Amino acid sequence: MADPPGCCSACATCLLCPYSCQWITAKKEKRKGLRTTKYDCSWFFFLFCVFLFTLVWLYFAIIILNDFHNFNEFIFRQRKLWLDWSLVLLIATAVLISYSSVLLVLALCLQLCGHPLKLHWVHKILLILTALVVAAAFTGLGIKWAEEWKSARISLQATGPFLHMGAVGGMTLLAWPLASFIYRTRSTGLRVFLLVVYCAAMIALYLAPLGITSPCIMEQEQLPPKPALVGHRGAPMLAPENTLMSLHKAVDCDVEVFETDVMVSADGVPFLMHDEELTRTTNVQAVFPERAALNSTAFNWTDLQQLNAGSWFLERRPFRTVQSLSPGDRREAAKQRIPSLGQALEAAKENNISIMFDLRPENHSDYQNFVNVTLEVILQSGIPLQQVLWLPDGFREDVKQQAPGVQHVYGRKRLENEEEPVLHVNLPYQDMSSEEIRQYRQDNISVNLYVVNQPWLFSVLWCSGVSSVTTNACQVLKEMKHPIWLLVSDPSILPAHSPVSQALVGPFLQQPCAAAWRLTCTCDPAEGIGDAAGRAVPQHTTPSWCSMACLIALQPSSTYFMIWIVVDCFSFLIIIWAFFLMK
């Protein structure tokens, strides 16, 4: 097979070597009569599928980074081994995606050069192993961390428009090697099959925006206020969690609420601690090695005060931000002790922030006494009761009687027949949709979602109208002045810059209802046209045009109609050009 123009023999040989693991020149290849067989095509298809599989896993790996600290804690509780497993995940994923990407690029280049796709058996084994590893990762995710599937669905609200444009771009570029293969292959059935599959995939991508929704597609003036920040155990990226230093760092981050966990010592002193054991966040194994495995409530307050609650933070570095701490912060962190609830309440009162806490462990036989002791400390502290947010469900009625000013936060959604109105809810961010958040906001119910660390997730919840978020990364979210992206639904900005969009949508802009396009409109034949807030838009003399315009703007759920049309048309023209050019 002669080299096509523009593909020199040396380049072809360099492509064949890593793909086929053989130094075969173009002349030798021609003498041997090597051609791409159906068997080779099947392996190329498998390579393409493995690439897509690893690409999807890469997306999941990036999304679950928001919650990966919980996974690190889980592994420590099970194995007593601390490691930032997110680095392991990212490195392994990068290796897999890089390997499959390089092979795919080599195969496409070989196809464009007109050379056979003879994949070496070593690559075949490695591709099978790659597919098995990624499949095992997805299986483990589904079994042990099923809530992350919800996280992935939420992430599409932030990335959906960009994934759509990226997928269209990638499939468009695939038109060149596909056209080259179709024109070279002698099998009519294979040609038809590839064209049908490719066309079906492109049509699906072109229509994908019909199913894409995002709360961040709105007008600037419709953007809700920025959610308040709740420090998850303080500011755990800047100081040891559940310490006074962490509380003060959270105050520096402008948090409005310090979220913590409370346990009660054997002699009745409430103190701050998340884990039932002290091994992760103290040096109990060095001070009390024979008692290290005991429950935190088995220690009296005198014993607890002997423990260091900050050295672990510097040694294990639970977050990468630890290495950027100043020498002064390092010295302060190394001296941290377990604080009592009374000390935390005093600090919260001085800094005028609220405190929200869980009382653990809820299955303890003496839990009612824990509640009474905790309430006694709260009442004695002198903190305004409206600054105390009570999370525990156990003996909640007793709390309402003894401390009627305390604000009650519920870890569940409201019920249909609530005897008392629910004013505050505290839920995982996976458990509430954007529509539910908006409804709660309209009903004056404060919604706090946890744990939100990544800017993309904070942006989605901000656009949805959530009241507050619990976060480990208060220093990051504090600096965000607006969502990372906000796509307005005003198409009038595009016609001046895009002849295609002018030609496609120009007729709609001439209609009387063009002004309504600036809003997220709703069309109802019985009620006319209204915006997202339900405000009426004046009726016009051409309702059919108005309804059509609103329908087109709404089908992608108030999305980027103009961008969608322009990208899809541009892609279609390039594909047609590629097939004519390769012919």
Side-chain angles (χ1 to χ4, degrees), residues 69 82 84 235-241 245 310-331 333-334 472 475:
H69 186 71
W82 182 267
D84 187 359
M237 289 188 174
L238 306 176
E241 67 179 56
M245 178 184 177
S311 58
W312 71 275
F313 180 73
L314 302 175
E315 294 168 0
R316 295 176 185 152
R317 298 182 178 182
F319 298 97
R320 284 186 284 274
T321 50
V322 177
Q323 46 194 327
S324 61
L325 293 180
S326 65
D329 286 341
R330 289 176 177 273
R331 288 191 294 270
N472 293 323
Q475 77 282 1

Side-chain angles (χ1 to χ4, degrees), residues 217-219 222 489 516-522 530-532 554 558:
I217 300 176
M218 61 169 61
E219 301 300 331
Q222 294 175 331
S489 57
W517 278 48
R518 294 185 59 85
L519 301 172
T520 306
C521 56
T522 57
D531 63 16
L554 266 181
S558 313

Side-chain angles (χ1 to χ4, degrees), residues 387-516:
Q387 290 181 221
V388 178
L389 307 180
W390 186 273
L391 277 173
D393 286 326
F395 304 99
R396 194 182 284 274
E397 294 302 320
D398 294 345
V399 176
K400 292 179 180 179
Q401 293 179 4
Q402 297 183 45
V406 168
Q407 298 191 60
H408 288 267
V409 183
Y410 293 83
R412 58 169 175 80
K413 297 180 182 179
R414 61 180 176 182
L415 305 176
E416 292 185 2
N417 300 317
E418 291 278 3
E419 296 181 0
E420 297 183 16
V422 173
L423 300 179
H424 306 276
V425 295
N426 180 62
L427 294 167
Y429 70 87
Q430 299 99 331
D431 288 359
M432 288 204 78
S433 65
S434 297
E435 292 74 18
E436 288 176 315
I437 293 173
R438 292 193 191 99
Q439 187 59 53
Y440 276 49
R441 187 164 177 259
Q442 291 178 5
D443 296 339
N444 294 321
I445 300 176
S446 174
V447 177
N448 180 71
L449 301 181
Y450 62 90
V451 174
V452 178
N453 300 318
Q454 298 294 327
W456 69 263
L457 179 56
F458 184 67
S459 297
V460 170
L461 299 179
W462 183 346
C463 295
S464 299
V466 72
S467 307
S468 59
V469 299
T470 299
T471 179
N472 293 323
C474 60
Q475 77 282 1
V476 175
L477 304 188
K478 169 193 174 183
E479 301 301 328
M480 293 182 61
K481 306 304 179 184
H482 49 74
I484 56 176
W485 69 275
L486 190 67
L487 191 62
V488 299
S489 57
D490 178 11
S492 62
I493 62 175
L494 285 175
H497 304 287
S498 173
V500 177
S501 62
Q502 176 69 47
L504 288 169
V505 197
F508 292 111
L509 297 178
Q510 305 302 322
Q511 300 306 315
C513 66

Side-chain angles (χ1 to χ4, degrees), residues 36 130 149 151 228 251 262 378 442 479 513 516 540 573:
T36 300
T130 299
W149 294 106
S151 301
V251 171
V262 175
I378 291 173
Q442 291 178 5
E479 301 301 328
C513 66
H540 304 288
L573 293 176

